[in-house]
Amino acid sequence: MCGIVGYVGPQDARDVILEGLRRLEYRGYDSAGIAVVADGLLSSVKKAGKLANLEKVLAEHPLPAATVGIGHTRWATHGGPTDRNAHPHVSADGSVAVIHNGIIENFAALRAECEAQGVEFRSETDTEVAAHLLAAAYADTPEGPGRLAEAMRVISRRLEGAFTLVATAATEPDTLVAARRSSPLVVGVGDGEYFLGSDVAAFIAHTREARELGQDQVVEIDRHRGLTVTDFFGAAVEPKAYTVDWDAAAAEKGGYDWFMLKEIAEQPQAIADTLLGRLGSQGELVLDEVRLSDQELRDIDKIFVVACGTAFHAGMIAKYAIEHWTRIPVEVELASEFRYRDPVLDRSTLVVVISQSGETMDTLMALRHAKDQKARVLAICNANGSTIPRESDAVLYTHAGPEVAVASTKGFLTQLVACYLVGLFLAQVRGVKYEDEVSAVVDDLRRLPEAVAEVLAAMEPVRELARSLADADTILFLGRHVGYPVALEGALKLKELAYIHAEGFAAGELKHGPIAVVDQGTPVIVIVPSPRSRESVHGKVVSNIQEVRARGARTIVIAEEGDEDVVPYADHLIRVPRTPTLLAPVVTTVPLQVLACEIAATRGLDVDQPRNLAKSVTVE
Ligand code: F6R
């Protein structure tokens, strides 16, 4: 939520900042702005709407060339998406400019304090208060090296909530300062130049050398004196260095119309990368990064899986697999609800938090609550070095590469695969499965990349179908067992991308009410379990297809190759390869991703940046 870029160095800061903003636009696209320091003056331009609007203004009214600058792309929280509310916010005296990600929870009291001192506010944002407070603290700090950083520490101690703040001062053309509490910020270190970014995508085209910032830290970057990190009270801190394992090409569209299409196509490779190095030659699992001892894993008597949105759907599927393989009870919780209902947690509880971005605030807060209650926390995450894995006891990275499209696709499939690995690993360590049983599932996992590639190769009919569904008012999704979360995921993708009303149901629940909405021509997409699945779930879902069809539904059926029972009742049939029941969501989700993407494109919508959304949701 909100993209932040900062630069100090010999290049033209205007170009570096705009390029960084382009790469971060997925984090928010309600407005964008940039500020540079040149000739003892701060100059800034900001514009509502997508980055293209800002670029147009800059083309007509260029900012002066500069060696230090900051840029922001916004997802509005306080104050609508207008020019005035866009960042940067410059203090009333013009001495400092500030960009912000997060929410300053005590901004109302601080604003009243500033207003009492005669400051006139120009926006409705919580951020502007930080600009005025910083200017006042800066004025009170003696001149000399470290002045802006000291002023930032002073105000950071007063701010409540979550924030990343980056500031520049008119009189300091070689300095950038930033503060971080709970919201993301990473530093890029180049050759004689430094970058700040909400994530590494902001500077990956320039350097892969990064520094992690911890909670409640202030970083000062001076072109000549280098990098200094302290806590909010000025005590020096040594930031952790790491090398980013993505390259710039991975963050480009690579010839596809949309990042989402590229990311869907990357799924076979992404799954292979999630599995890489984790499947041993004897059919066993090797998860070195799960830094919990075998004894700690044996002591676990309850698992919570906690996540949001698409990652929550991955968690729902994980429950079926982990309970089945380990016989440990698993509860799945929405992160935004978890800590507010006082869950029962202790040392023998494992909390698995799932997050593609590693920055989702609801999930982060749930994680912190779990740790406060002494539970062990294992993160399944894609973004290396992000906050959630850093604060967890153990982490399993999905290694899916950058996911830029707002709607998660390869993030989801790789989360599923990581969940399978965790479940199977627990079963292996606890000895609840024979070695040959583990190695049979490992073989099934190895076949997943190929199975997904097969689905992708047969997507042309799905694209055609999408064109015929583009005018639908409502589309229903039905599934049972692991097909139920897949139905929820299909409906979520369609809602967020195509703005069509969509709902996912457990197929068995249909008769308890929802079937009333089925009308003549209502498209109903059914995810059919394998005929080899347990206790005739397959037969029951086939009956459900007949029930909705009898009421006029247009049935779109996703079924495995060789399942002939569905043929008479399917108006459209989408075939997927035979896959073991618990792993089937990895293949059955793919046509639903393609469908949602193509329907949105047919409706002329922005597939990568749907309205009202942001990639990384860093507010609660
Ligand atoms: C939907 C989608 C969101 C995210 C959710 C959690 O396509 O992408 O529902 O899954 O916001 O995000 P992460 O996984 O980054 O915690």
Side-chain angles (χ1 to χ4, degrees):
M1 209 139 273
C2 297
I4 278 186
V5 192
Y7 177 73
V8 192
Q11 300 190 57
D12 189 334
R14 299 172 302 181
D15 300 338
V16 179
I17 300 288
L18 275 179
E19 184 192 349
L21 288 179
R22 268 176 226 124
R23 290 182 190 275
L24 290 188
E25 203 185 5
Y26 66 86
R27 299 182 67 94
Y29 32 84
D30 290 338
S31 63
I34 168 170
V36 296
V37 175
D39 303 324
L41 278 180
L42 267 168
S43 320
S44 75
V45 175
K46 44 197 207 168
K47 197 72 201 147
K50 294 202 169 179
L51 185 60
N53 295 359
L54 175 72
E55 288 176 311
K56 216 192 274 166
V57 179
L58 285 170
E60 286 158 16
H61 309 283
L63 288 173
T67 50
V68 62
I70 55 178
H72 187 268
T73 173
R74 178 168 186 247
W75 187 83
T77 58
H78 292 58
T82 60
D83 289 356
R84 275 152 49 104
N85 289 334
H87 302 209
H89 290 279
V90 178
S91 60
D93 64 2
S95 66
V96 296
V98 167
I99 51 177
H100 168 221
N101 175 19
I103 292 178
I104 298 171
E105 286 172 358
N106 58 339
F107 88 98
L110 295 171
R111 181 174 171 137
E113 180 187 310
C114 293
E115 282 173 337
Q117 287 162 6
V119 175
E120 275 185 33
F121 277 73
R122 288 167 294 200
S123 76
E124 294 100 54
T125 63
D126 51 337
T127 307
E128 194 182 340
V129 84
H132 299 310
L133 288 178
L134 186 67
Y138 189 65
D140 287 345
T141 308
E143 276 184 34
R147 181 180 177 195
L148 188 59
E150 177 53 21
M152 184 63 99
R153 282 190 287 270
V154 169
I155 73 156
S156 297
R157 295 198 290 265
R158 299 199 61 202
L159 302 179
E160 290 167 16
F163 51 89
T164 295
L165 288 167
V166 181
T168 71
T171 50
E172 303 201 28
D174 294 320
T175 309
L176 262 187
V177 159
R180 168 170 195 254
R181 170 179 286 164
S182 294
S183 295
L185 185 68
V186 275
V187 183
V189 180
D191 189 7
E193 57 184 356
Y194 296 89
F195 307 82
L196 288 170
S198 307
D199 65 53
V200 297
F203 52 75
I204 192 72
H206 302 277
T207 180
R208 290 163 70 173
E209 287 312 309
R211 301 286 181 273
E212 262 182 36
L213 287 186
Q215 284 306 324
D216 287 11
Q217 292 183 356
V218 166
V219 57
E220 182 202 51
I221 297 171
D222 182 278
R223 220 178 135 187
H224 310 291
R225 287 184 295 120
L227 190 77
T228 313
V229 183
T230 68
D231 66 15
F232 282 177
F233 295 90
V237 177
E238 191 53 46
K240 194 173 151 216
Y242 68 104
T243 304
V244 182
D245 56 5
W246 304 346
D247 59 18
E252 300 290 349
K253 276 191 205 158
Y256 288 89
D257 288 344
W258 303 104
F259 276 108
M260 183 173 173
L261 284 175
K262 174 179 172 249
E263 288 159 12
I264 289 173
E266 284 170 348
Q267 292 183 117
Q269 186 59 50
I271 293 169
D273 290 343
T274 307
L275 295 174
L276 197 70
R278 289 164 174 167
L279 309 183
S281 57
Q282 310 298 314
E284 80 288 15
L285 288 177
V286 192
L287 301 188
D288 293 335
E289 320 93 306
V290 176
R291 301 178 301 259
L292 294 170
S293 68
D294 285 3
Q295 192 52 50
E296 283 170 324
L297 294 176
R298 278 189 214 107
D299 288 345
I300 291 164
D301 59 13
K302 184 170 188 182
I303 298 176
F304 282 96
V305 184
V306 182
C308 303
T310 285
F312 174 73
H313 297 152
M316 287 178 78
I317 294 164
K319 175 182 164 81
Y320 290 87
I322 299 176
E323 278 190 343
H324 182 68
W325 289 332
T326 66
R327 311 311 298 155
I328 307 172
V330 179
E331 286 189 37
V332 191
E333 296 256 355
L334 287 168
S336 52
E337 292 293 323
F338 183 63
R339 71 187 169 121
Y340 297 106
R341 65 161 198 87
D342 196 14
V344 181
L345 303 162
D346 59 32
R347 270 183 193 291
S348 48
T349 312
L350 177 69
V351 176
V352 179
V353 290
I354 310 176
S355 174
Q356 188 285 129
S357 62
E359 300 293 351
T360 301
M361 187 58 79
D362 289 318
T363 311
L364 178 61
M365 290 304 174
L367 177 170
R368 288 182 181 163
H369 181 76
K371 288 200 78 177
D372 285 348
Q373 307 290 309
K374 309 281 180 266
R376 318 272 174 196
V377 180
L378 166 69
I380 291 178
C381 185
N382 190 37
N384 211 303
S386 54
T387 310
I388 287 173
R390 279 216 311 270
E391 295 198 13
S392 299
D393 297 306
V395 57
L396 200 66
Y397 281 111
T398 49
H399 299 308
E403 193 178 65
V404 175
V406 164
S408 185
T409 52
K410 63 176 178 172
F412 176 66
L413 290 201
T414 55
Q415 283 162 356
L416 280 181
V417 172
C419 288
Y420 296 138
L421 290 173
V422 168
L424 212 52
F425 186 63
L426 281 170
Q428 176 178 288
V429 171
R430 295 162 68 96
V432 285
K433 280 222 166 285
Y434 292 119
E435 279 172 26
D436 57 343
E437 290 174 311
V438 172
S439 89
V441 184
V442 163
D443 283 346
D444 294 333
L445 290 172
R446 281 189 217 279
R447 281 192 281 271
L448 286 177
E450 204 185 314
V452 172
E454 233 178 90
V455 179
L456 287 170
M459 281 298 96
E460 196 41 48
V462 174
R463 283 185 203 106
E464 257 171 53
L465 174 65
R467 290 189 273 278
S468 78
L469 288 171
D471 293 328
D473 296 325
T474 190
I475 300 184
L476 306 181
F477 293 74
L478 305 183
R480 204 156 177 155
H481 192 257
V482 289
Y484 168 44
V486 174
L488 295 178
E489 175 61 8
L492 174 61
K493 283 283 140 345
L494 190 67
K495 275 183 272 204
E496 68 174 325
L497 293 169
Y499 320 152
I500 292 177
H501 171 250
E503 275 192 77
F505 297 108
E509 275 295 291
L510 210 60
K511 55 188 178 293
H512 298 291
I515 198 163
V517 300
V518 174
D519 204 349
Q520 207 56 40
T522 306
V524 178
I525 300 179
V526 189
I527 298 102
V528 182
S530 162
R532 293 161 288 120
S533 60
R534 298 175 80 197
E535 294 178 16
S536 67
V537 182
H538 171 263
K540 293 200 172 104
V541 174
V542 175
S543 301
N544 296 142
I545 306 174
Q546 295 173 58
E547 286 155 17
V548 291
R549 203 157 186 262
R551 286 153 181 91
R554 175 181 172 195
T555 55
I556 298 150
V557 173
I558 300 179
E560 75 172 32
E561 278 149 14
D563 180 353
E564 296 307 315
D565 297 348
V566 296
V567 175
Y569 317 113
D571 294 317
H572 305 268
L573 185 54
I574 301 169
R575 288 292 191 191
V576 290
R578 286 179 70 156
T579 311
T581 299
L582 288 168
L583 309 191
V586 175
V587 293
T588 52
T589 305
V590 177
L592 303 181
Q593 297 169 337
V594 173
L595 199 70
C597 181
E598 294 293 337
I599 293 178
T602 308
R603 288 165 73 97
L605 301 173
D606 186 333
V607 170
D608 287 335
Q609 296 179 344
R611 70 183 178 200
N612 304 339
L613 297 176
K615 181 69 181 161
S616 184
V617 186
T618 52
V619 292
E620 259 193 290

